[in-house]
Amino acid sequence: MEKEQKHVAVIGAGIAGLHTANLLAQSGHKVTILEKEKYPGGHLNQWHHLFPDHSSPEWIISGLLDEQLQFDHLKMISSTEITSIEKNNGHFAINAGNELRIYADAVVISTGFKLFDARQKEEYGYGLFKNVITSADLEQSLKSGQPLTTASGKTPSRVAFIHCIGSRDAKCGNTYCSKVCCITGVKQALEISEMLPETEIFCFYMDLRLYGSKFDDLYLQAQKKHKIQFIRGRLSEAAETHDKRLQIKAEDTLSGRPLRMEVDMIVLLAGMEKNEAHQMFSSTKLLELDEHGFFKSKNIQLTRNETTQPGIFIAGTCICPMSVNETIENAGAASILVNRYLEHQQLTNHHE
Amino acid sequence: MQHIETLIKEKLNSDIRFVEGLNACMNCGICTAICPAAEFYDYDPRTMLTIVQSGNLQKIRELLESDTIWYCGQCMSCKTRCPRHNCPGLVISVLRKISQETGAFTQSRMGRQQYLLRKGLGNALLNIGYSLHPSFIKPADHPEQGPVWQWIFENASEIYKTVGANLDEEGPGVLRKIDKEAMTEFRAIFEETGCLELFRLIDQYSSIKALELGITNEANQPDMDQYLHFIENEQETSY
Amino acid sequence: MNEKLFVIPFVAGMALLFIILIVKGYKWISSLSKIDRLRLINALKSRRILQSAKDIFMECLIHRRIFKKNMVLGYMHMSLAFGWFLLIVVGHLEAFVAEKSLAVPFYLPIFFRFFETGKEFAGSKIFAALMDLLLLFVLSGVVLAWSKRFYKRLFGMRRTTRLQYGDQIAMTALWLIFPLRLLAESATAHQFNNGSFITQTAGSLFFNSNTASTLALPLWAAYSLALGSFFVALPYSRYMHIPTEMLFIIFKNAGIKLKKRTNSFTELAIYSCSRCGICLDNCQLNNAGIKNTQSVYVLKSIRNKNIDDEQLFNCLLCGKCQVDCPVGIDLTSLRITQRIESTLQYNASYAYLENQATTKAGLIYFAGCMTHLTPRIIQSMQHLFELAGEDYWFLDKEKAPCCGRPLMLAGQYDAAAKLIRNNTTQIIASGAKKLVVSCPICYKVFKEDYQLPGVEVLFHAEYILRLMNAGLLKTAPLQKRIIYHDPCELGRGSGMYEIPREVVKNSGQLIRIKNEQEHSLCCGGSLGNLKISQAERNLIRDSAINEYLSYQPEYLVTACPLCKKTFARNRNMVVMDLAELVLEASDEFIKRKKLKGNKVTNIRELETLIQS
Amino acid sequence: MNEFAHLVSRPSRQIDYQTFDNRLLAYVLRYEPSFLTCMSCGGCTATCSAGKLTDFNIRRIGLMLRRGQTDKLAAEIDKCMFCGKCSLVCPRDVNIRNVVLLIKKESTRLHAENQKV
């Protein structure tokens, strides 16, 4: 029995999308990746170094893109935004901008996450005070290779990292943990400390959730070698002083005393949020979303990558916050489920 | 002021007990959980270690001038439990020494008692080689020991003999008289290790404190007997 | 047996009611404070009594305020009250004319047709017709009242109040009075031909000569019993509002106000509530599914002495309920007074407040606790003061006691007074002539409860408008559709509606919306409610946001840090404070000037350019 | 008999869950279940207006309540000025103002009850 080549559409060319696409192409399926941006790679394009090994994200993206070259039946269409998806007789019709219409036997959604807009926490002054930046801004600054400075060009003598911005906070509607911000903060603190050894660095946290392999080593290193201080307490508000420093107030909950400190720079560890694209899928009743607006899995234990709609799969941070290595693992798992689905379809078609 | 804080920093960093005793604390609190002193005193080894770890010299200085560091019983239970191999007990030893060396100890009630210890235990050690000797426990001063002690005290030489001790006699045995040669060697160790210097500093800072408190004799000199009496009777403010 | 005895239930009920009313009335008047009693006496002697008479006529009989809210509901109340009133008045006239004497037994006009069977007198036909017409008028009200139980929406209401036993008895009696009167009069009319177009027709329709003669007396007795029952049940039912409201209007017109502690005026206000339920639909707690804490229920619970904190403190104190209250009860103050009473035992002393250092300045800026969580407002205000060249002192820049209003809302009046005293000392010592606040919560308490001689308390909108009018602040209206959200404490709370709107008009395109000014929505963030959960607050907030979004605004401008913070989570429109809007419009002005070729970097240079 | 310092017994600082006084806690939780979700992040204390003027620590009050250390609560809670900032920053949406009100009310009642006994 000869295998009929199936067509899979992958939406989003971040690492989850690229990796799933490669694996599916390797299994012999025809694959089309649709990306709304001009270039693939997603958020990883903006990151400087990855935790825990400080590796560069560029090699991950370029590695995945190089791998693509060996598959003729894999193509990528960029600068294209999906407008709608319809399901007909077990097949999918995907409409995109430029009157593009693609038919597919299965769809993988890997649209990723959106960074929390820190302006929502007005009391921390993002967008208002120049020396309040987010972890993403800091990552860009580190990537630029320029030495880190305050808005007025001075070397910061004291930097404060604030954990849980837009995560675990009912006040901005996100009650879940974004999982990677704690370690991102530790990683970035280490990088600043290596770049500016004289700079004092403080991390204000509610709980340190350093869940991953080798993450605690970074924590120990940050404390021991770099004298980075971890203060358990949530920042209440920031105010600008006349010399454009920032005065922050928190409670040092472990000593039970209010704490006030002037710093030159605040880094807000912004969490991950659902992508706006999710709304398009749920409004047409094609897919269900979970209580946080991420895509709902068919079964959270067994089939994380299957949606409530047969034939549509999900991979990466459109399911929930994940680190880079987890995303890659997750993409692999997604490709296995897609393969299984297509094989089953083949069998039923054959019997018919 | 600035000078003292720099001095504290130097002393801290040059002490092996500090370098070995603090290995990045993560505030788990197991030391406080096990600490016998923490159960009864307003004292918490975890908080103390956090302060030292913060490197905030002003806070460390406040610590040196407080009662806190003197509550530790040096049982070192903390050492055996710490998941990061820290030893708050050792860190406290360093802090105590710096407090003695800088005179910070005279700023707290518990700290001032260093003078009491130096006079009592310290002098006893230097004079007879024992920090505590049965002859020190005078029945008049210790009514709580009751009439039996009175009887033991009066018939000491015979009673100690019956339990195999060699009280104040030449030769071997428990409570023997320490011979001259050993005493010389003992004093030399004290001299070499800096203990005598520490004694001298305690004396010096305590006299300064006595002056400061106005505890003086007719010649306007510090009256150290009266000072001893004063620190013996100083009351704990509250617990 | 004397058949006249059937009037006994009516006479007894009436007598009992009068005794109760006199006792209560005496108690209410006698327990007024000395000054309030003087006010009352003065009012009775002056022309104000005419005003009261007019108000009583308009509100108690005509029900003008209810008419304004809904015509059908208004008509229902008017036909019952005014119709019955006219029945009594015209009935008496008829009796006087028939008997040619003013000394008629007081029950006679009520049962006139029973006693005056067939005697012709001057205008008897006209009177009979008029009385029938009035009975029809009242009956139409009764029919509407019945149908209101089933078709609430006809009356513009979504919810009506739940009834108590006293209410049920009185209401049943009330509903029976007029149909029974109709039947009794019809029976008599059929017997003696003394009716008019209604009763005569109904008589021949319902009765034959047999049934008319046997049923007439029982029907008259039933009518008397219905009247008597109504009068007896009245003081224990919501209908107590009928006599109470008249006294309430007289008290109110005399200038008597609700105090911080309960007094007889409070009780009068509570009894004046007719439980019409008009306040229910206005309440935004409905959006959160909270259904038993609205003003009418709280008043009822206070009257029944079973009020608990869960009910008393579950209210936003937004004041929306009292806007449409037909009796004009100050429901917010009444609830606060009750909160004060309920928390008397635990008021804080704030012993830690010691004399803080004051700074000499011409103007004080008091941002308030909340504003510290909205630094954009603070930054904008500081910018404005700089523009105006003010010598100002930012009183609570680092730390300062709260203004006291949140305590007041929680009923902690004595505690609030301590903060107020402390802050007053500081403000007076600074020698400032102006106090500018950007938080309406602070504004209300500074205006109402602080004694600050020589210090003008200004809300930032007022201050900004002055700068604009003085030419110190120049703005170019932005091309933005703007909705202005009235904060409760500023709008209904302090009556400031137009000043902020003037400011908005100078800065952009103000859209007028349905629920604005005194009908404006509460954001849901109110400090007045201590019991509501955040999830419930969110429901209130979301329904307000959805209403605003239906106008497709680009900016939602408010003048309260708490409203701003509450609305900030929506992602479909920009939420900002008035001060921020003004600065944006001022930047726009500079930008436009620049486009015309002037090189301007700041507003001061601009000023000099304009002047030159 | 003389009193000897070393014979005077000192109260233990240990939190003893065996002798736990949970009356106040039970009352607060009954009327304000949102208090259950407090995770002691300290945001409330950091923002507290009263906390800037005195040693008032609202987070610790919550903690003392949850650990049955209620004897000093009534006096401590009096420092609160009810401004509501704490409720506005709480990441777990705890209705802190109501918690304060409930503590005040119930501890006043418990105090009166204890007086009677």
Side-chain angles (χ1 to χ4, degrees):
Chain A
M1 155 184 121
E2 190 165 328
K3 227 174 169 181
E4 172 200 353
Q5 201 179 32
K6 295 279 184 181
H7 183 207
V8 184
V10 176
I11 304 171
I15 48 170
L18 292 177
H19 190 50
T20 317
N22 285 350
L23 292 171
L24 288 170
Q26 197 165 16
S27 309
H29 304 299
K30 199 179 144 204
V31 181
T32 308
I33 309 175
L34 295 157
E35 168 59 43
K36 71 170 185 215
E37 300 295 333
K38 205 168 167 188
Y39 302 106
H43 286 283
L44 238 63
N45 287 319
Q46 275 111 50
W47 300 163
H48 173 46
H49 279 160
L50 304 177
F51 52 80
D53 57 354
H54 298 283
S55 58
S56 160
E58 277 157 29
W59 71 267
I60 295 188
I61 303 173
S62 56
L64 288 168
L65 291 175
D66 285 350
E67 210 182 314
Q68 269 187 16
L69 298 174
Q70 40 177 308
F71 308 115
D72 295 334
H73 50 288
L74 189 159
K75 68 173 175 177
M76 178 153 59
I77 307 172
S78 57
S79 307
T80 304
E81 204 155 348
I82 309 292
T83 51
S84 67
I85 298 185
E86 297 144 33
K87 191 178 185 184
N88 283 318
N89 296 330
H91 298 281
F92 298 93
I94 302 163
N95 299 311
N98 325 331
E99 295 179 4
L100 188 71
R101 195 170 163 94
I102 295 160
Y103 296 92
D105 299 294
V107 179
V108 178
I109 301 174
S110 49
T111 45
F113 67 93
K114 196 185 84 163
L115 205 69
F116 174 74
D117 178 6
R119 278 174 301 190
Q120 269 193 57
K121 298 292 286 179
E122 185 180 341
E123 56 265 47
Y124 297 158
Y126 182 62
L128 182 65
F129 307 138
K130 285 199 173 112
N131 289 317
V132 180
I133 60 171
T134 64
S135 38
D137 299 335
L138 177 61
E139 204 63 28
Q140 293 247 307
S141 157
L142 293 169
K143 194 178 164 71
S144 74
Q146 299 295 315
L148 183 69
T149 62
T150 63
S152 59
K154 276 189 257 170
T155 302
S157 62
R158 203 181 256 176
V159 177
F161 281 85
I162 317 298
H163 290 236
C164 296
I165 304 297
S167 313
R168 304 179 73 205
D169 184 359
K171 287 290 179 297
C172 46
N174 299 343
T175 49
Y176 56 87
C177 168
S178 285
K179 214 175 165 188
V180 298
C181 335
C182 276
I183 185 65
T184 302
V186 173
K187 184 213 76 150
Q188 292 184 335
L190 281 170
E191 283 172 339
I192 294 183
S193 181
E194 266 159 20
M195 180 195 281
L196 311 165
E198 296 300 310
T199 302
E200 275 186 289
I201 301 171
F202 295 86
C203 290
F204 290 84
Y205 67 96
M206 300 203 285
D207 291 300
L208 277 179
R209 299 193 158 180
L210 302 164
Y211 63 97
S213 123
K214 301 196 172 67
F215 288 8
D216 243 58
D217 301 343
L218 289 193
Y219 173 37
L220 185 61
Q221 192 192 344
Q223 282 185 297
K224 207 170 159 180
K225 195 169 151 212
H226 295 267
K227 311 283 177 215
I228 290 158
Q229 294 194 47
F230 290 83
I231 298 176
R232 190 190 178 282
R234 188 168 173 79
L235 190 67
S236 91
E237 58 217 60
E240 204 168 41
T241 64
H242 63 279
D243 53 355
K244 304 286 169 196
R245 296 188 88 201
L246 296 153
Q247 191 193 64
I248 54 178
K249 287 169 187 157
E251 187 202 355
D252 181 348
T253 59
L254 292 175
S255 60
R257 283 161 64 179
L259 178 149
R260 197 166 75 169
M261 174 186 286
E262 272 189 24
V263 298
D264 299 293
M265 189 176 263
I266 290 177
V267 183
L268 303 175
L269 293 165
M272 293 184 177
E273 276 193 329
K274 60 179 186 285
N275 209 323
E276 279 120 348
H278 296 193
Q279 210 51 47
M280 192 256 289
F281 295 101
S282 72
S283 61
T284 54
K285 302 241 173 359
L286 195 66
L287 296 179
E288 284 177 47
L289 303 181
D290 69 10
E291 64 270 37
H292 303 306
F294 290 96
F295 288 119
K296 194 170 173 180
S297 297
K298 190 173 157 199
N299 183 305
I300 202 163
Q301 309 285 1
L302 290 170
T303 50
R304 202 76 212 266
N305 304 91
E306 272 180 37
T307 63
T308 44
Q309 180 70 251
I312 301 187
F313 298 81
I314 40 181
T317 51
C318 63
I319 307 177
C320 67
M322 288 181 199
S323 66
V324 168
N325 56 5
E326 282 174 326
T327 306
I328 295 289
E329 284 167 15
N330 190 273
S335 74
I336 294 171
L337 291 181
V338 177
N339 267 329
R340 194 174 71 173
Y341 171 80
L342 292 175
E343 266 168 38
H344 186 257
Q345 215 183 27
Q346 179 102 23
L347 280 174
T348 34
N349 285 352
H350 191 73
H351 287 300
E352 279 163 13
Chain B
M1 290 296 161
Q2 205 57 46
H3 171 69
I4 293 180
E5 285 174 9
T6 328
L7 193 73
I8 292 170
K9 194 176 172 182
E10 271 171 30
K11 283 178 183 292
L12 260 180
N13 291 327
S14 61
D15 198 306
I16 185 74
R17 291 172 293 183
F18 173 71
V19 180
E20 289 294 312
L22 181 55
N23 215 351
C25 161
M26 58 172 171
N27 272 306
C28 72
I30 197 167
C31 46
T32 302
I34 198 66
C35 179
E39 187 182 340
F40 297 102
Y41 295 99
D42 185 11
Y43 164 67
D44 172 358
R46 177 189 60 79
T47 317
M48 195 211 59
L49 226 63
T50 320
I51 294 171
V52 179
Q53 180 168 271
S54 78
N56 184 329
L57 289 168
Q58 200 201 323
K59 288 250 172 70
I60 296 176
R61 194 175 156 197
E62 280 167 22
L63 203 58
L64 297 179
E65 291 174 351
S66 71
D67 284 337
T68 317
I69 51 171
W70 306 105
Y71 287 126
C72 168
Q74 298 273 298
C75 71
M76 300 293 163
S77 303
C78 45
K79 179 172 173 54
T80 55
R81 269 98 180 165
C82 178
R84 287 263 181 100
H85 298 310
N86 293 334
C87 181
L90 271 185
V91 176
I92 287 211
S93 315
V94 188
L95 294 176
R96 285 179 171 182
K97 184 165 178 240
I98 300 174
S99 183
Q100 289 162 337
E101 286 172 346
T102 56
F105 70 95
T106 61
Q107 302 302 310
S108 67
R109 184 187 69 91
M110 293 282 285
R112 283 189 283 277
Q113 290 179 357
Q114 291 302 296
Y115 185 64
L116 195 69
L117 294 169
R118 178 257 170 279
K119 281 287 169 195
L121 308 183
N123 275 355
L125 273 170
L126 290 181
N127 292 337
I128 58 169
Y130 290 102
S131 57
L132 197 60
H133 189 267
S135 63
F136 297 171
I137 320 292
K138 298 203 167 61
D141 297 340
H142 293 275
E144 80 278 8
Q145 298 284 34
V148 177
W149 178 250
Q150 174 86 31
W151 177 73
I152 296 172
F153 194 77
E154 281 163 8
N155 305 290
S157 57
E158 288 152 52
I159 290 168
Y160 280 97
K161 220 168 265 168
T162 62
V163 293
N166 188 15
L167 184 66
D168 292 335
E169 299 291 334
E170 304 283 342
V174 174
L175 288 171
R176 70 187 181 279
K177 187 178 177 190
I178 308 294
D179 63 51
K180 266 195 181 147
E181 202 180 324
M183 279 308 289
T184 317
E185 200 179 326
F186 183 71
R187 286 189 191 110
I189 292 170
F190 261 55
E191 180 69 57
E192 274 310 304
T193 54
C195 273
L196 289 185
E197 173 62 11
L198 218 46
F199 279 10
R200 201 187 57 72
L201 283 173
I202 290 170
D203 288 346
Q204 183 195 326
Y205 287 123
S206 299
S207 344
I208 295 172
K209 186 68 190 177
L211 256 183
E212 204 181 292
L213 290 169
I215 302 174
T216 50
N217 56 22
E218 283 141 17
N220 238 355
Q221 291 301 308
D223 183 337
M224 293 318 281
D225 287 337
Q226 211 189 317
Y227 181 72
L228 257 184
H229 184 73
F230 165 77
I231 56 178
E232 259 180 318
N233 291 298
E234 240 183 311
Q235 291 296 315
E236 191 175 352
T237 42
S238 69
Y239 54 74
Chain C
M1 201 181 87
N2 189 345
E3 59 182 21
K4 269 190 189 177
L5 284 179
F6 79 88
V7 303
I8 286 175
F10 162 73
V11 174
M14 194 76 184
L16 204 66
L17 176 62
F18 266 95
I19 292 167
I20 291 174
L21 288 185
I22 287 165
V23 169
K24 285 227 179 217
Y26 176 77
K27 216 182 88 195
W28 282 330
I29 294 170
S30 66
S31 56
L32 279 179
S33 70
K34 207 170 169 185
I35 185 141
D36 277 349
R37 230 172 324 173
L38 279 174
R39 281 197 179 108
L40 191 63
I41 293 164
N42 279 335
L44 291 175
K45 281 193 262 179
S46 73
R47 278 165 138 233
R48 254 178 289 176
I49 189 70
L50 294 175
Q51 179 64 37
S52 294
K54 189 186 150 207
D55 285 353
I56 290 171
F57 179 76
M58 289 309 287
E59 298 307 336
C60 302
L61 295 177
I62 306 294
H63 290 93
R64 181 184 52 134
R65 284 214 187 92
I66 304 182
F67 257 108
K68 270 208 256 169
K69 175 93 185 159
N70 179 287
M71 292 294 278
V72 185
L73 194 66
Y75 176 80
M76 183 195 98
H77 281 88
M78 183 187 75
S79 60
L80 282 170
F82 192 48
W84 196 0
F85 173 76
L86 286 179
L87 266 182
I88 295 167
V89 172
V90 177
H92 276 76
L93 286 175
E94 187 184 22
F96 296 153
V97 173
E99 295 294 313
K100 296 193 181 67
S101 158
L102 289 177
V104 295
F106 81 90
Y107 58 80
L108 183 71
I110 312 300
F111 306 100
F112 186 76
R113 291 278 176 282
F114 179 83
F115 292 106
E116 298 298 330
T117 48
K119 196 168 98 185
E120 291 275 337
F121 56 92
S124 62
K125 290 277 179 232
I126 299 169
F127 270 118
L130 195 57
M131 288 300 279
D132 267 19
L133 189 69
L134 289 173
L135 186 60
L136 185 68
F137 183 39
V138 179
L139 280 169
S140 68
V142 175
V143 172
L144 283 174
W146 280 342
S147 55
K148 178 167 164 254
R149 292 283 131 191
F150 309 104
Y151 306 108
K152 283 176 269 216
R153 290 194 178 263
L154 179 65
F155 300 84
M157 297 174 85
R158 284 192 294 275
R159 293 177 59 206
T160 50
T161 51
R162 285 163 306 210
L163 298 174
Q164 291 176 282
Y165 289 128
D167 293 334
Q168 274 166 350
I169 294 168
M171 195 178 77
T172 316
L174 181 65
W175 284 2
L176 285 173
I177 288 171
F178 299 98
L180 283 171
R181 178 171 174 151
L182 173 71
L183 287 175
E185 286 188 344
S186 308
T188 307
H190 193 68
Q191 267 181 293
F192 302 103
N193 209 22
N194 67 348
S196 187
F197 64 102
I198 302 271
T199 39
Q200 208 62 54
T201 324
S204 39
L205 211 65
F206 297 147
F207 305 102
N208 57 33
S209 56
N210 242 344
T211 50
S213 63
T214 49
L215 286 177
L217 186 64
L219 281 168
W220 281 104
Y223 169 53
S224 167
L225 195 66
L227 278 169
S229 315
F230 178 68
F231 293 145
V232 173
L234 184 137
Y236 310 100
S237 75
R238 57 182 184 162
Y239 298 103
M240 183 62 185
H241 82 90
I242 300 168
T244 316
E245 191 183 344
M246 294 190 251
L247 198 56
F248 179 70
I249 289 174
I250 296 169
F251 274 39
K252 215 168 66 167
N253 285 347
I256 299 172
K257 287 199 175 77
L258 285 172
K259 303 283 189 311
K260 301 288 180 192
R261 297 291 300 273
T262 326
N263 57 15
S264 67
F265 187 59
T266 325
E267 205 179 312
L268 198 58
I270 291 163
Y271 276 89
S272 297
C273 168
S274 65
R275 290 183 212 158
C276 65
I278 287 179
C279 56
L280 291 177
D281 287 342
N282 274 8
C283 182
Q284 285 176 262
L285 290 180
N286 291 326
N287 294 327
I290 300 169
K291 302 274 188 202
N292 57 349
T293 68
Q294 281 79 0
S295 292
V296 58
Y297 296 129
V298 160
L299 259 53
K300 188 168 85 175
S301 297
I302 297 173
R303 210 173 128 175
N304 295 344
K305 297 193 170 52
N306 60 1
I307 181 100
D308 68 6
D309 282 4
E310 297 306 305
Q311 194 181 27
L312 185 60
F313 286 88
N314 198 342
C315 164
L316 299 160
L317 292 177
C318 70
K320 267 185 82 111
C321 52
Q322 71 191 51
V323 173
D324 288 328
C325 175
V327 190
I329 305 173
D330 185 353
L331 296 164
T332 313
S333 302
L334 205 138
R335 198 187 281 252
I336 290 179
T337 308
Q338 196 61 31
R339 288 183 180 185
I340 292 172
E341 291 285 340
S342 83
T343 63
L344 274 180
Q345 284 172 304
Y346 39 91
N347 267 274
S349 63
Y350 304 115
Y352 58 81
L353 292 177
E354 282 157 21
N355 297 333
Q356 282 110 15
T358 44
T359 307
K360 291 276 173 202
L363 181 148
I364 290 177
Y365 173 51
F366 190 91
C369 301
M370 292 298 164
T371 314
H372 285 274
L373 294 173
T374 51
R376 274 178 201 275
I377 300 182
I378 292 183
Q379 209 187 43
S380 307
M381 288 309 293
Q382 287 179 309
H383 197 122
L384 282 170
F385 292 135
E386 277 163 31
L387 281 181
E390 295 281 5
D391 146 41
Y392 76 101
W393 174 37
F394 187 170
L395 195 155
D396 58 341
K397 186 175 184 192
E398 283 298 319
K399 52 183 177 182
C402 168
C403 63
R405 179 72 184 158
L407 274 167
M408 208 85 93
L409 292 169
Q412 298 264 291
Y413 181 72
D414 290 346
K418 302 227 167 65
L419 297 186
I420 289 174
R421 256 202 307 281
N422 177 83
N423 293 343
T424 303
T425 316
Q426 274 217 299
I427 293 165
I428 297 291
S430 77
K433 294 277 167 281
K434 277 185 215 150
L435 171 67
V436 177
V437 291
S438 52
C439 169
I441 305 168
C442 305
Y443 178 68
K444 185 161 169 77
V445 75
F446 276 126
K447 266 298 221 214
E448 287 182 0
D449 298 280
Y450 278 68
Q451 303 275 317
L452 295 167
V455 184
E456 191 186 12
V457 179
L458 288 169
F459 187 60
H460 75 339
E462 284 174 291
Y463 178 76
I464 290 169
L465 194 60
R466 274 192 205 179
L467 292 185
M468 285 174 161
N469 291 342
L472 285 167
L473 181 62
K474 297 228 179 329
T475 52
L478 304 163
Q479 295 300 317
K480 299 280 183 194
R481 289 168 59 79
I482 301 172
I483 286 182
Y484 171 69
H485 165 86
D486 288 284
C488 299
E489 293 276 65
L490 187 69
R492 282 180 297 266
S494 309
M496 193 186 287
Y497 298 110
E498 280 310 323
I499 294 172
R501 283 187 168 75
E502 284 301 307
V503 175
V504 174
K505 279 184 209 157
N506 288 342
S507 316
Q509 325 296 325
L510 179 69
I511 318 172
R512 302 310 289 238
I513 60 169
K514 184 171 139 256
N515 283 324
E516 63 176 3
Q517 306 232 349
E518 59 176 10
H519 295 288
S520 65
L521 299 169
C522 173
C523 67
S526 166
L527 287 176
N529 197 325
L530 283 99
K531 296 291 174 184
I532 190 170
S533 74
Q534 190 65 45
E536 291 165 328
R537 282 188 194 278
N538 292 351
L539 291 169
I540 294 172
R541 175 201 64 198
D542 292 346
S543 68
I545 285 182
N546 287 338
E547 180 167 337
Y548 290 147
L549 282 176
S550 70
Y551 293 92
Q552 293 162 329
E554 284 154 289
Y555 287 176
L556 177 63
V557 172
T558 181
C560 169
L562 188 51
C563 297
K564 186 189 172 195
K565 200 99 189 80
T566 309
F567 285 137
R569 232 187 83 194
N570 95 87
R571 290 163 198 189
N572 298 308
M573 55 186 164
V574 180
V575 180
M576 57 169 71
D577 187 82
L578 206 58
E580 295 166 46
L581 174 74
V582 166
L583 280 181
E584 199 180 315
S586 139
D587 285 347
E588 178 71 16
F589 181 78
I590 296 169
K591 213 163 76 190
R592 284 191 201 171
K593 288 286 159 186
K594 262 189 195 167
L595 285 176
K596 286 179 186 164
N598 290 323
K599 279 188 182 171
V600 190
T601 49
N602 68 38
I603 204 152
R604 290 227 176 80
E605 286 175 36
L606 188 69
E607 290 297 324
T608 43
L609 257 176
I610 292 164
Q611 277 158 18
S612 63
Chain D
M1 188 71 188
N2 290 350
E3 282 205 12
F4 304 101
H6 61 276
L7 294 179
V8 179
S9 71
R10 206 173 246 283
S12 170
R13 286 174 71 242
Q14 245 165 14
I15 296 165
D16 190 351
Y17 263 76
Q18 297 307 113
T19 56
F20 193 86
D21 177 5
N22 74 341
R23 286 176 299 171
L24 197 53
L25 178 64
Y27 179 82
V28 170
L29 287 178
R30 191 169 131 214
Y31 291 105
E32 195 50 70
S34 71
F35 179 59
L36 273 173
T37 63
C38 168
M39 56 174 167
S40 273
C41 72
C44 46
T45 305
T47 203
C48 179
S49 290
K52 292 191 181 80
L53 297 162
T54 183
D55 58 355
F56 181 61
N57 184 328
I58 180 72
R59 177 194 59 86
R60 194 155 52 185
I61 282 183
L63 202 58
M64 283 157 78
L65 182 62
R66 281 186 286 172
R67 300 288 181 268
Q69 299 169 301
T70 51
D71 43 337
K72 286 180 193 143
L73 273 190
E76 262 315 288
I77 204 81
D78 258 1
K79 295 174 182 165
C80 165
M81 301 196 291
F82 259 86
C83 74
K85 264 180 102 184
C86 49
S87 303
L88 231 61
V89 302
C90 178
R92 282 284 174 90
D93 282 346
V94 178
N95 187 357
I96 305 171
R97 281 176 91 221
N98 193 31
V99 172
V100 174
L101 187 77
L102 292 170
I103 294 177
K104 280 185 175 222
K105 191 182 171 76
E106 182 66 359
S107 53
T108 308
R109 196 192 65 79
L110 286 174
H111 182 71
E113 197 180 273
N114 292 345
Q115 294 294 88
K116 261 186 234 160
V117 170

